[in-house]
């Protein structure tokens, strides 16, 4: 009796996951689509002036979004970044203008104007981590405290006044150039590279991902979960402080009412569009970098084509929803 063989699917047969492909390459495709659209329909898009505007505008978004990526990778969120930018931006001019510490040596004053605000804001970041880890307060609630109070602190520190200044040494981070490249863009790239190396090649980077992936399992394997969570909130605060310094240096003024306003939305949108899971357990630094460029190009495209800036907020919120939906569908398949 002759036996007939029938072909059956093997375990090596791989099905194409459309959602997985979109999740992996969708951000890059969106970036290319925006670039092509602007080349075709936006006048002077390829000019150096336009490139400079977009690079300088996106730099602070990237810096803050990288800190947000680390926090989200642990399963948290940081709503306080915009207010922390305001605090940092308020303190710095007070130092080199002599309103906070009387210093005769301007070089020392400028140096302290970089160091002191970052240290103070890092303390606020530690406070966020303390609320999350010691009191088990949900991150969205814990960071909401400084989201509200932080800007008030900045306003009280400056009496609600606009601080206008001219100090070339301080303003270099916002207006200076190195071989024609804006200093803030160089800072952005250095921060992105360091964060990428942190996640990919260090123990703490692996611990961050482990905590966000399964906190209970991470604790059972001996990972110091509380220290890891506190660490990411401190780093997020430090990067927000740096971004705040860049903003006020670029504007030649510090306005506690406006510095960092809405930055938390931009940062979260960049993380979501960049492919990092908002539920934790994944940190795509390069994706966040590209996601921030997409957010910036969306805003620029709308403004350049006569769409009100308020519409950009709706688009950014929509991008977050779409990104989260794609992530969920990709993980289910």
């Amino acid at each position: 009796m002759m036996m007939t063989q029938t072909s059956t699917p093997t375990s090596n047969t791989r099905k194409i996951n459309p959602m997985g492909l979109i999740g992996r390459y969708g951000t890059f495709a969106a970036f290319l689509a925006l670039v092509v659209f602007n080349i075709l329909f936006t006048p002077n898009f390829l000019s150096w002036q336009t490139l400079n505007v977009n690079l300088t505008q996106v730099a602070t978004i990237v810096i803050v979004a990288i800190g947000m990526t680390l926090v989200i990778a642990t399963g948290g969120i940081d709503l306080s970044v915009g207010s922390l930018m305001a605090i940092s931006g308020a303190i710095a001019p007070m130092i080199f203008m002599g309103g906070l510490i009387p210093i005769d040596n301007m070089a020392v004053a400028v140096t302290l104007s970089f160091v002191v605000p970052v240290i103070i804001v890092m303390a606020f970041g530690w406070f966020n981590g303390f609320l999350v880890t010691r009191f088990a307060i949900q991150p969205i609630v814990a960071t909401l405290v400084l989201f509200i109070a932080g800007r008030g602190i900045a306003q009280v520190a400056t009496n609600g006044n606009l601080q206008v200044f001219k100090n070339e040494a301080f303003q270099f981070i916002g207006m200076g150039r190195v071989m024609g490249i804006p200093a803030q863009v160089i800072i952005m790239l250095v921060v992105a590279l360091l964060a990428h190396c942190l996640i990919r090649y260090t123990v703490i980077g692996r611990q961050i991902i482990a905590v966000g992936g399964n906190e209970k399992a991470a604790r059972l394997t001996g990972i110091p979960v509380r220290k890891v969570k506190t660490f990411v909130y401190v780093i997020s605060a430090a990067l927000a402080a740096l971004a705040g310094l860049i903003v006020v240096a670029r504007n030649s003024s510090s306005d506690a009412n406006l510095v960092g306003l809405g930055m938390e939305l931009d940062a979260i949108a960049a993380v979501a569009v960049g492919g990092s899971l908002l539920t934790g357990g994944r940190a795509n630094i390069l994706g966040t970098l590209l996601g921030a460029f997409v957010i910036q190009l969306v805003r620029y495209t709308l403004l350049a084509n006569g769409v009100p800036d308020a519409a950009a907020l709706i688009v950014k919120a929509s991008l977050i929803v779409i990104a989260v939906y794609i992530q969920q569908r990709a993980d289910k398949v």
Side-chain angles (χ1 to χ4, degrees):
M1 183 176 178
M2 184 177 293
M3 302 292 294
T4 60
Q5 292 183 339
T6 59
S7 60
T8 59
T10 65
S11 58
N12 293 328
T13 303
R14 301 182 64 181
K15 295 182 179 180
I16 297 177
N17 179 3
M19 282 297 177
L21 291 175
I22 294 174
R24 176 170 294 187
Y25 303 110
T27 306
F28 184 66
F31 174 75
L32 286 181
L34 286 166
V35 169
V36 171
F37 177 88
N38 282 287
I39 290 174
L40 295 176
F41 300 106
T42 304
N44 303 317
F45 177 72
L46 294 178
S47 67
W48 168 248
Q49 183 179 4
T50 299
L51 177 62
N52 180 69
V53 167
N54 280 297
L55 284 176
T56 53
Q57 290 293 328
V58 81
T60 49
I61 299 176
V62 170
I63 292 171
V64 176
I66 286 173
M68 186 71 74
T69 302
L70 299 180
V71 172
I72 288 177
T74 63
I77 197 79
D78 189 352
L79 298 182
S80 68
V81 289
S83 297
L84 295 181
M85 286 177 64
I87 293 175
S88 175
I91 294 174
M94 294 172 65
I95 295 176
F96 64 73
M97 290 193 302
L100 187 63
I101 306 174
I103 302 173
D104 295 330
N105 190 315
M106 184 54 67
V108 174
V110 171
T111 300
L112 290 177
S113 69
F114 288 123
V115 176
V116 173
V118 174
I119 292 176
I120 291 175
V121 171
M122 287 174 69
F124 283 115
W126 176 88
F127 174 74
N128 282 335
F130 181 78
L131 292 180
V132 171
T133 59
R134 297 295 177 175
F135 292 98
I137 299 176
Q138 291 182 346
I140 194 171
V141 177
T143 58
L144 186 63
V145 173
L146 282 176
F147 171 81
I148 299 171
R151 194 166 298 278
I153 293 171
Q155 291 168 339
V156 169
T158 59
N159 292 319
N161 297 324
L162 175 68
Q163 299 182 92
V164 181
F165 54 84
K166 182 175 177 58
N167 186 302
E168 293 182 0
F170 174 77
Q171 290 175 274
F172 182 80
I173 63 171
M175 302 176 67
R177 294 179 180 276
V178 178
M179 295 185 294
I181 304 174
Q184 57 191 299
V185 174
I186 295 175
I187 294 172
M188 172 193 75
L189 295 175
V190 170
V191 169
L193 179 61
L194 290 176
H196 176 73
C197 292
L198 174 74
I199 291 296
R200 290 290 300 272
Y201 306 114
T202 68
V203 173
I204 185 66
R206 291 189 289 271
Q207 290 177 340
I208 288 171
I209 302 303
V211 169
N214 190 322
E215 182 175 328
K216 184 177 180 181
R219 185 175 286 108
L220 291 174
T221 58
I223 293 176
V225 174
R226 287 182 176 178
K227 290 183 179 179
V228 171
K229 284 189 171 184
T230 302
F231 171 79
V232 296
Y233 282 102
V234 170
I235 295 300
S236 177
L239 294 179
L242 176 60
L245 296 177
I246 291 174
V247 169
V248 298
R250 185 174 64 212
N251 295 337
S252 302
S253 64
S254 174
D255 186 348
N257 300 301
L258 297 178
V259 174
L261 190 64
M263 181 59 76
E264 56 282 334
L265 175 60
D266 285 340
I268 294 171
V271 176
V273 173
S276 295
L277 292 174
L278 295 184
T279 53
R282 185 187 302 170
N284 188 344
I285 300 298
L286 298 182
T288 295
L289 177 66
L290 191 57
F293 273 90
V294 169
I295 298 301
Q296 172 58 28
L297 277 178
V298 165
R299 182 172 183 270
Y300 173 82
T301 303
L302 293 175
L303 290 175
N305 289 275
V307 180
D309 191 32
L313 297 176
I314 300 174
V315 174
K316 284 186 282 190
S318 301
L319 287 174
I320 294 176
V321 174
I322 294 171
V324 172
Y325 173 76
I326 291 173
Q327 289 172 5
Q328 291 178 339
R329 288 295 303 273
D331 288 341
K332 288 180 179 179
V333 179

